Amino acid sequence: MSKLFESFSIKDVRVRNRIVMPPMCMYSATGGVASDFHVMHYGARALGGVGLIIVEATGVAECGRITDNCLGIYDDSHVPGLSRISAAIKAHGAVAAIQLGHAGRKCMAHVPEVIAPSPIVFDSGDANYHVPRMMERADIDAVVEAFRNAARRAAQAGFEMVEVHGAHGYLLSSFLSPVSNQRDDEYGGSAENRARIVGRVLQAVREVFHGPVCLRVSAEDYLPQGNRPADVAAMINIVKAQGIDILDVSSGGVSPVPVPTHPGYQVKCAEIVREKTGLPVIAGGLLTSPQHMEEIVANERADMVFAGRELLRNPHFPLWAAKELGVEYTWPKQYERARYR
């Protein structure tokens, strides 16, 4: 029996298998509004058998979008388009989740200003990155409220789960990392202080969204002065009582440094975080082999696995993976004539 194709419950939501489509920006929105492309894109992966689909980074504020063409959830006018996406995902048997994010200093959208915990530019050599304004307490309060309102809209749009984006050097991630957070107030310095805004955001989300809440983290900064998996696990333990049902463990992004990649390169990070927090985790990193994915979940290195690039290449990857693992898997009736035998 394949562990990869066993169902998994996150809080009270049952996912049909352990395969996750992670959030990947599609840069196909205008004014933050979802398009027909998004409906087809996500619906196709649900039809292809993915268990959990996490819609791409969706800005909780106008300056929270990564680019001008990223999805938004900062206005009620965004809800109808997002509702179409969640409906398409659920219609084909997958669980619909959405990543709520704020780009922080990595915002490249055309906005009046960019904000961050400290006035440190993301220095990648790209002129589109600007020196951010250091956030005051009122700005932090406003961001927490923006996440609360975004979570309320996610519920209105029919999403069954939300993911709070605390990875890849975006706003919450930049608070967590000492590389980008050089504050000397209650939001900087110690691990407890750097995690404070994440705890407040989780609490705000919980107050209005009653489904599962996932937190995505970068467990490794790849810098001597940056976070390591044990550091991130310690901060998660500080805030997990605010309501984390599962962790999505990634790495990097706080600084433009080379990342040593190979199939499953982030899985060890996820293992460490899982062990030290006691929370279920989603792991991944260039995973393409069903056998490799099976090994990860069967040996309890992670509870679920994400496949990003592979699902862009092949929307029906889970159907093929089931065949490779010798699993009897229900195909969409429309595709039954093409079923692997």
Side-chain angles (χ1 to χ4, degrees), residues 33 54 86 122 132 156-157 169 172 194 223 240 275 283 296 298 333:
V33 177
I54 308 175
S86 71
F122 183 74
Q156 291 174 348
L172 299 185
R194 284 184 282 124
L223 290 167
K240 69 181 182 181
E275 177 187 356
I296 291 166
K333 62 182 180 180

Side-chain angles (χ1 to χ4, degrees), residues 1-10 13-19 51 303-304 329:
M1 177 62 186
S2 167
K3 190 81 169 180
L4 185 64
F5 283 90
E6 283 185 6
S7 65
F8 185 72
S9 292
I10 309 171
V13 172
R14 178 183 171 276
V15 187
R16 61 185 170 186
N17 59 50
R18 311 296 182 96
I19 300 173
D303 302 275
M304 307 182 81
Y329 194 68

Side-chain angles (χ1 to χ4, degrees), residues 185-205:
D185 63 0
E186 68 267 37
Y187 289 94
S190 69
E192 182 177 10
N193 285 354
R194 284 184 282 124
R196 191 179 306 278
I197 188 173
V198 176
R200 290 189 60 194
V201 165
L202 289 168
Q203 183 178 26
V205 167

